[in-house]
Amino acid sequence: MAIKARKLILGFLCLLLFLVPSSSLLDKLVQGQEVKDKEVLFSAQGKFKLGFFNITSNNYYLGIRYNNSEEYIVWIANLDTPIFHNSGSLTIDDIGNLKISDNSGLSIVLYSGQEGSNNTSAVLLDNGNFVLRELSPEGVVKRELWQSFDHPTDTLLPGMKLGVDHKTGQTWSLRSGRSYFIPDVRSFTFGLDPNHTNQLVILFHGELYWTSGSWYKGYFNSSSGLKDSYCNFSYISNENETYFNYSLEKGIATSPMSPMLMIDYLGRLWNDTDVLVDCASAPSSLTDGCVTQKLPECRSPSDTFSQNSSFWDESNGFKFNESDNLIMQDCKAKCMNNCSCVAYAVTNEDDLNWL
Ligand SMILES: *[C@@H]1O[C@H](CO)[C@@H](O)[C@H](O)[C@H]1NC(C)=O
Ligand SMILES: *[C@@H]1O[C@H](CO)[C@@H](O)[C@H](O)[C@H]1NC(C)=O
Ligand SMILES: *[C@@H]1O[C@H](CO)[C@@H](O)[C@H](O)[C@H]1NC(C)=O
Ligand SMILES: *[C@@H]1O[C@H](CO)[C@@H](O)[C@H](O)[C@H]1NC(C)=O
Ligand SMILES: *[C@@H]1O[C@H](CO)[C@@H](O)[C@H](O)[C@H]1NC(C)=O
Ligand SMILES: *[C@@H]1O[C@H](CO)[C@@H](O)[C@H](O)[C@H]1NC(C)=O
Ligand SMILES: *[C@@H]1O[C@H](CO)[C@@H](O)[C@H](O)[C@H]1NC(C)=O
Ligand SMILES: *[C@@H]1O[C@H](CO)[C@@H](O)[C@H](O)[C@H]1NC(C)=O
Ligand SMILES: *[C@@H]1O[C@H](CO)[C@@H](O)[C@H](O)[C@H]1NC(C)=O
Ligand SMILES: *[C@@H]1O[C@H](CO)[C@@H](O)[C@H](O)[C@H]1NC(C)=O
Ligand SMILES: *[C@@H]1O[C@H](CO)[C@@H](O)[C@H](O)[C@H]1NC(C)=O
Ligand SMILES: *[C@@H]1O[C@H](CO)[C@@H](O)[C@H](O)[C@H]1NC(C)=O
């Protein structure tokens, strides 16, 4: 019996979030102010909000969500460093640092202020971008210092880029999390081919896992799942940068949410409603573009594992170091690559529940 790609039971990114009353209706954070506890910034038209929220009971994150649909988390600032208890605060301090701090002395600097940038303000825009700007004494925007769109997590919104800035070397790509409940950075990335061909790729620990096919006359020239997703991609390449961005096709632009692309912890790519790319499901993948993983001779790509809840005899097994932080997909890959391996399991409950 193959492990079937699990149909999503509760919709994707099904986080059970705690509704908190909002006590602020501003879209701007100015120097010296803070956002903390249940306070939120709203974008001008109220589409997005930024604030601290918890995914599990005590781990709080600073993130951006849709106001009318809190389960979609489009950005998280402190992916790898949740804040214990709700004591987080976001501020722009005297010298212009945009930073998260908490009452235990934690300090996560999102942007380091520079000498002279003493009039900055951060605004949450209606496209979901949180932008730090330097203002002139007249209040005119002098320049943009930092933006959340330059630091994507697992979700792509229109206006964001997937690609590389040739001058700074900065890349824009999505990173998968560990599970539905733990967003810390894990095994999969989705972005421009690092070999600089004009295609999008998913990498698994840096290895090619899926390709979109080449960009050719306005389309990806394979039937790779992105074609029918109603995402209208553009490819831009010049001496400064190379990237894909996308917009929503006309006609369905009336949706209250922006169209999204999201990569989950199994390396699957989603739009708002559907799985577009799924190379994890066996035996033969549902998606064109999946790259056959290198395997030892004892294995075939069509080999599958069956789900079984029998007793795990540790004396016949091998337990990886917990600090390796492996997720289910990593365990599977390790087992596939070891001819004497007949089964794998994870020890983390969160991973188990979301096979
Ligand atoms: C946010 O959503 C709530 C609940 O749907 C609604 O009452 C409120 O007016 C919205 N806020 C903004 C600023 O749109
Ligand atoms: C978030 O924290 C509150 C207060 O501790 C708790 O009641 C709620 O269950 C938590 N939410 C989740 C999703 O765990
Ligand atoms: C900062 O900008 C505000 C307008 O947004 C202006 O009133 C103020 O004078 C400026 N302060 C400095 C030090 O430039
Ligand atoms: C993509 O980038 C190009 C060039 O910067 C821009 O003209 C276009 O509006 C962008 N498209 C979207 C959907 O953001
Ligand atoms: C990049 O190119 C090298 C050499 O052709 C190839 O082995 C590798 O798989 C490519 N990587 C990706 C991510 O396309
Ligand atoms: C896909 O694009 C490549 C160029 O990048 C081209 O050589 C090839 O013919 C195209 N294939 C199809 C089916 O259009
Ligand atoms: C998501 O993709 C599916 C299939 O590719 C498509 O039918 C659906 O309309 C898309 N949803 C949105 C909101 O674009
Ligand atoms: C590249 O950057 C330079 C300096 O910022 C700018 O003058 C030039 O117009 C840019 N080129 C393109 C194609 O955007
Ligand atoms: C796709 O985007 C381009 C430029 O962003 C636009 O000219 C074109 O009309 C869009 N196509 C559709 C089908 O919406
Ligand atoms: C689970 O493993 C046991 C022992 O190998 C076997 O008897 C049983 O049929 C398996 N169950 C399933 C659902 O594969
Ligand atoms: C596990 O990894 C840590 C950190 O790399 C190392 O200090 C420790 O010795 C390792 N434990 C084992 C059993 O290999
Ligand atoms: C396969 O796993 C066993 C432990 O179960 C280990 O001793 C062996 O070195 C592994 N082989 C490879 C090729 O990794």
Side-chain angles (χ1 to χ4, degrees), residues 19 22 24-25 42-49 66-70:
L19 275 170
S22 309
S24 145
L25 273 170
F42 283 105
S43 63
Q45 289 170 29
K47 189 169 182 179
F48 291 97
K49 65 181 171 191
Y66 288 101
N67 181 43
N68 64 1
S69 182
E70 296 200 323

Side-chain angles (χ1 to χ4, degrees), residues 219 231-234 245-251:
Y219 291 96
C231 292
N232 184 11
F233 276 93
S234 305
N245 62 5
Y246 79 105
S247 60
L248 184 61
E249 280 195 20
K250 287 170 222 146

